[in-house]
């Protein structure tokens, strides 16, 4: 019998099943609705019960996911759910030798111990070293000896690590800023100083009679003169200390720092920002099967087309000065918001990709 003919007979049998009292009891064993197989589908190699059909890929197994090589190329780790498991079984951790063979089930504890060895990350040009962020901390792995060196152990996560072109430094993000760590001695330099808001305004200079009074006070009182001299000296010292430091880059209120993509030598950084779109209203969905026995409303997704993202922009930041040249990707005459983001740099660090 063709699949279409079998499906038609199965659908008709289901209708009869729900309309004819005692249909469940007519099945051998008196099973429940989920295990009932209509007469037209009995005797087939595949169990055409509602329970079996609703398992979907659980019948034959799911495709492997989170597939990862070990650095020595000996093993491939992945999550997998073979077919024929219990109806509520989930995927588990497996590994298989690179030369092939039967998948081997491994424990979650084993994978946790191997987390650094299985983590993705940037690799040096010679393929010897890999840097990875695992649980928010940085690690360097010698891909030949499998030796692991932990670089950070902090509360704030360090993410997106990558090597400089010569492999001597590691660029990474912490918070809204980019940092560079010297691989040899671990010294860290902050490359960007991105802040939200506006700089504190300078106090306006006195004018008119206020300026006259201030000048007269300094002329009459040595205490005032000495105080002004000390303030001038402190200001000069502060400016000297900050002469080699980048000036803060302020992002206006309502904007948030997005991507930070450094060039090969860290001289430039692509900075993207984004604005939140208009607020949306989620739909309420009643859940009938609950632990409490009562119907519980839960928030679902918003309506299609509701809300939407806000705009964004991209700037080319020079790390020596922290000054940014902002790129305007909006076409002439276009009135809507434009989202802009950072791509990646070429190996030489002379060109970068921006998308909008």
């Amino acid at each position: 019998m063709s699949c279409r003919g079998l499906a038609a007979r199965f659908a008709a049998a289901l209708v009869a099943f729900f309309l004819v009292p005692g249909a469940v009891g007519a099945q051998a064993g008196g099973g429940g609705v989920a295990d009932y197989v209509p007469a037209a589908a009995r005797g087939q190699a595949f169990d055409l019960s509602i329970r079996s059909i609703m398992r979907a890929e659980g019948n034959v197994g799911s495709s492997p996911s989170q597939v990862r090589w070990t650095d020595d190329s000996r093993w491939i780790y992945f999550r997998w759910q073979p077919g024929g498991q219990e109806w509520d079984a989930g995927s588990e951790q497996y590994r298989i030798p690179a030369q092939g063979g039967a998948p081997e089930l491994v424990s979650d504890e084993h994978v946790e111990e191997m987390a650094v060895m299985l983590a993705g990350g940037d690799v040096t040009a010679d393929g010897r070293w890999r840097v990875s962020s695992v649980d928010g901390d940085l690690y360097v792995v010698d891909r030949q000896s499998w030796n692991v060196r932990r670089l950070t152990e902090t509360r704030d996560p360090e993410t997106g690590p990558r090597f400089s072109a010569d492999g001597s430094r590691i660029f990474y993000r912490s918070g809204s800023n980019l940092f560079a760590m010297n691989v040899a001695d671990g010294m860290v330099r902050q490359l960007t100083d991105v802040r939200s808001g506006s700089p504190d305004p300078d106090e306006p200079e006195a004018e008119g009679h206020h300026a006259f009074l201030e000048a007269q006070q300094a002329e009459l009182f040595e205490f005032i003169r000495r105080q002004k001299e000390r303030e001038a000296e402190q200001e000069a010292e502060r400016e000297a200390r900050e002469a080699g430091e980048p000036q803060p880059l302020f992002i206006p209120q309502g904007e948030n720092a997005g991507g930070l993509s450094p060039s090969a030598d860290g001289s430039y950084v692509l900075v993207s920002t984004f604005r939140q779109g208009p607020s949306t209203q989620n739909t309420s969905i009643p859940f009938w099967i609950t632990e409490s026995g009562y119907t519980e409303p839960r928030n679902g997704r918003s309506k299609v087309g509701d809300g939407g993202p806000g705009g964004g922009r991209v700037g080319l930041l020079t790390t020596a000065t922290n000054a940014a040249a902002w790129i305007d990707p909006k076409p002439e005459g276009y009135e809507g918001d434009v989202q802009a983001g950072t791509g990646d740099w070429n190996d030489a660090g002379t060109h970068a990709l921006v998308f909008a």
Side-chain angles (χ1 to χ4, degrees):
M1 180 182 297
S2 67
C3 292
R4 181 176 297 179
L6 181 59
R9 294 185 63 181
F10 177 60
L14 278 181
V15 173
F17 162 72
F18 284 113
L19 294 179
V20 178
V24 174
Q27 184 185 12
V33 172
D35 296 310
Y36 175 73
V37 178
R42 294 173 191 167
Q44 302 294 324
F46 181 75
D47 179 20
L48 272 176
S49 63
I50 296 177
R51 183 187 302 278
S52 180
I53 293 172
M54 293 305 293
R55 290 190 60 192
E57 66 179 12
N59 287 305
V60 294
S62 62
S63 299
S65 62
Q66 300 180 22
V67 182
R68 294 162 289 180
W69 282 93
T70 55
D71 282 310
D72 59 3
S73 299
R74 293 178 53 195
W75 293 93
I76 301 171
Y77 282 74
F78 56 94
R79 294 196 69 90
W80 184 42
Q81 179 186 357
Q85 306 296 309
E86 292 293 331
W87 65 271
D88 58 349
S91 62
E92 295 181 285
Q93 295 281 355
Y94 286 82
R95 69 175 184 175
I96 192 171
Q99 65 271 20
E104 173 187 347
L105 178 65
V106 296
S107 65
D108 290 335
E109 291 75 17
H110 171 79
V111 175
E112 186 174 347
E113 293 173 359
M114 293 282 292
V116 177
M117 308 309 299
L118 297 176
D122 193 40
V123 178
T124 53
D126 60 4
R128 172 73 182 273
W129 304 92
R130 170 171 55 84
V131 60
S132 302
S133 174
V134 179
D135 293 333
D137 288 320
L138 300 182
Y139 297 81
V140 167
V141 178
D142 185 337
R143 302 177 74 225
Q144 293 182 3
S145 67
W146 275 39
N147 288 330
V148 177
R149 174 185 169 196
R150 185 170 189 163
L151 300 179
T152 63
E153 188 174 3
T154 60
R155 182 179 297 274
D156 294 330
E158 294 87 25
T159 60
R162 57 187 302 177
F163 284 104
S164 60
D166 60 4
S168 64
R169 291 181 295 168
I170 295 171
F171 304 127
Y172 65 92
R173 178 170 180 164
S174 181
S176 297
N177 284 291
L178 197 70
F179 296 80
M181 176 184 291
N182 190 299
V183 175
D185 58 17
M187 188 188 77
V188 174
R189 177 190 169 209
Q190 184 169 338
L191 295 182
T192 66
D193 187 4
V194 180
R195 305 183 188 181
S196 179
S198 303
D200 295 330
D202 296 328
E203 292 186 5
E205 294 185 2
E207 298 178 354
H209 74 282
H210 294 290
F212 172 78
L213 285 175
E214 287 187 7
Q216 188 180 58
Q217 290 295 95
E219 180 181 351
L220 294 177
F221 296 101
E222 181 181 4
F223 171 78
I224 299 296
R225 292 196 301 273
R226 296 292 297 272
Q227 179 176 324
K228 285 185 172 295
E229 291 172 359
R230 284 194 296 270
E231 290 176 351
E233 291 174 357
Q234 292 172 355
E235 180 67 16
E237 292 174 356
R238 184 187 64 81
E239 291 179 355
R241 286 195 307 270
E242 297 178 354
E245 299 178 0
Q247 296 301 306
L249 174 66
F250 287 93
I251 304 297
Q253 291 287 352
E255 275 189 276
N256 299 281
L260 296 172
S261 179
S263 62
D265 62 356
S267 297
Y268 300 95
V269 178
L270 281 178
V271 180
S272 68
T273 69
F274 65 93
R275 297 191 302 273
Q276 298 288 351
S279 59
T280 60
Q281 180 178 349
N282 292 333
T283 55
S284 180
I285 301 175
F287 274 65
W288 306 97
I289 302 177
T290 62
E291 293 183 2
S292 65
Y294 292 88
T295 302
E296 298 175 2
R298 301 184 187 179
N299 285 330
R301 57 168 293 169
S302 60
K303 297 285 188 180
V304 175
D306 189 15
R313 57 179 179 155
V314 171
L316 179 64
L317 184 147
T318 303
T319 57
T321 62
N322 208 42
W326 293 99
I327 302 168
D328 183 9
K330 181 178 289 191
E332 185 177 354
Y334 182 72
E335 299 296 333
D337 286 330
V338 173
Q339 285 184 285
T342 60
D344 209 346
W345 293 78
N346 64 347
D347 291 340
T350 57
H351 290 77
L353 184 67
V354 173
F355 61 89

